[in-house]
């Protein structure tokens, strides 16, 4: 696939996801959550990706009361699901961050909370640290913006994390 075709495919997937979020919020939900994989590079489903995603979904289902599955699919960005719940959205965001911190590979999970009233609920608004860089542990957003690392190094680190997860026994990862 050409670079331009890949970019178009990724943008189309982002738009479709955002449309699903907007529709769920427009239907009267106060908030919705999404689970996706935050994988750098073009390959969004390397070995171990499905196992990590399923593990993250199970952890969310265990921890979010009245978990309601609203949508799920695979697209150019990888697996994705949209869910709703009845608990406070701040509590749900804290659960999401906790799941992202349960295992080193879970750093590659992305749990986002979207509020009907104000958009995404970020870590900073809860006084939580930003997501760390895969290579240097500084805030990932800053490293991306400043291009501190070679993209190949970041991709290699992400794929190593996810491959280790795929080789791990699920029982030891129950968190």
């Amino acid at each position: 696939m050409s670079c331009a075709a890949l970019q178009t495919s990724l943008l189309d997937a982002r738009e479709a996801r955002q449309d699903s979020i907007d529709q769920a919020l427009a239907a009267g939900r106060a908030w919705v959550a999404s689970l996706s994989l935050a994988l750098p590079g073009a390959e969004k489903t390397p070995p171990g990706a499905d196992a990590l995603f399923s593990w993250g979904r199970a952890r969310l289902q265990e921890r979010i009361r009245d978990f309601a599955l609203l949508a799920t699919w695979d697209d150019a960005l990888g697996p994705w699901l949209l869910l709703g719940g009845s608990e406070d959205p701040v509590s749900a965001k804290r659960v999401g961050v906790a799941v992202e911190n349960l295992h080193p590979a879970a750093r590659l999970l992305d749990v986002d909370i979207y509020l009907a009233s104000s958009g995404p609920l970020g870590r900073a608004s809860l006084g939580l640290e930003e997501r760390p860089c895969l290579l240097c542990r500084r805030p990932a957003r800053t490293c991306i913006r400043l291009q501190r690392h070679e993209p190949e190094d970041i991709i290699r680190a992400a794929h190593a994390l996810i491959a280790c997860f795929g080789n791990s026994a699920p029982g030891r990862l129950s968190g």
Side-chain angles (χ1 to χ4, degrees), residues 19 27 32 35 39 55 59 62 97 99-100 107 124 150 159:
D19 287 346
V32 295
L35 172 66
L39 291 172
W55 177 86
R59 300 298 75 78
E62 292 167 0
V97 171
V99 168
E100 293 169 355
R107 153 65 181 86
E150 292 296 322
H159 286 206

Side-chain angles (χ1 to χ4, degrees), residues 1 3-15 75-77:
M1 180 182 290
C3 185
L6 175 62
Q7 286 179 331
T8 299
S9 178
L10 295 175
L11 287 174
D12 289 347
R14 281 191 189 103
E15 285 181 21
D75 57 24
L77 293 166

Side-chain angles (χ1 to χ4, degrees), residues 1-169:
M1 180 182 290
S2 73
C3 185
L6 175 62
Q7 286 179 331
T8 299
S9 178
L10 295 175
L11 287 174
D12 289 347
R14 281 191 189 103
E15 285 181 21
R17 289 179 179 193
Q18 188 61 52
D19 287 346
S20 291
I21 291 164
D22 293 344
Q23 288 173 12
L25 293 172
R29 293 192 174 274
W31 64 272
V32 295
S34 73
L35 172 66
S36 61
L37 295 174
L39 291 172
E43 175 56 50
K44 300 301 183 183
T45 55
D50 289 334
L52 176 60
F53 187 81
S54 294
W55 177 86
R57 178 180 176 169
R59 300 298 75 78
L60 287 175
Q61 285 177 293
E62 292 167 0
R63 291 168 169 82
I64 294 180
R65 291 190 309 266
D66 300 324
F67 180 100
L69 183 60
L70 305 175
T72 184
W73 66 75
D74 289 309
D75 57 24
L77 293 166
W80 183 76
L81 69 82
L82 185 65
L83 59 101
S86 62
E87 66 189 72
D88 171 59
V90 171
S91 297
K93 180 63 176 180
R94 290 187 187 281
V95 166
V97 171
V99 168
E100 293 169 355
N101 291 326
L102 283 173
H103 184 277
R107 153 65 181 86
L108 299 171
L109 293 171
D110 192 12
V111 180
D112 290 319
I113 306 295
Y114 300 89
L115 304 172
S117 60
S118 61
L121 182 61
R123 289 174 177 232
S125 67
L126 303 179
L128 301 173
E129 289 185 19
E130 289 187 46
R131 183 183 297 271
C133 173
L134 289 171
L135 298 176
C136 70
R137 309 302 294 167
R138 291 182 277 200
R141 184 183 322 263
T142 303
C143 287
I144 292 167
R145 186 173 32 84
L146 297 177
Q147 299 179 347
R148 282 191 175 125
H149 313 291
E150 292 296 322
E152 296 80 20
D153 293 338
I154 299 166
I155 292 166
R156 197 172 13 263
H159 286 206
L161 273 176
I162 212 163
C164 288
F165 184 89
N167 294 330
S168 299

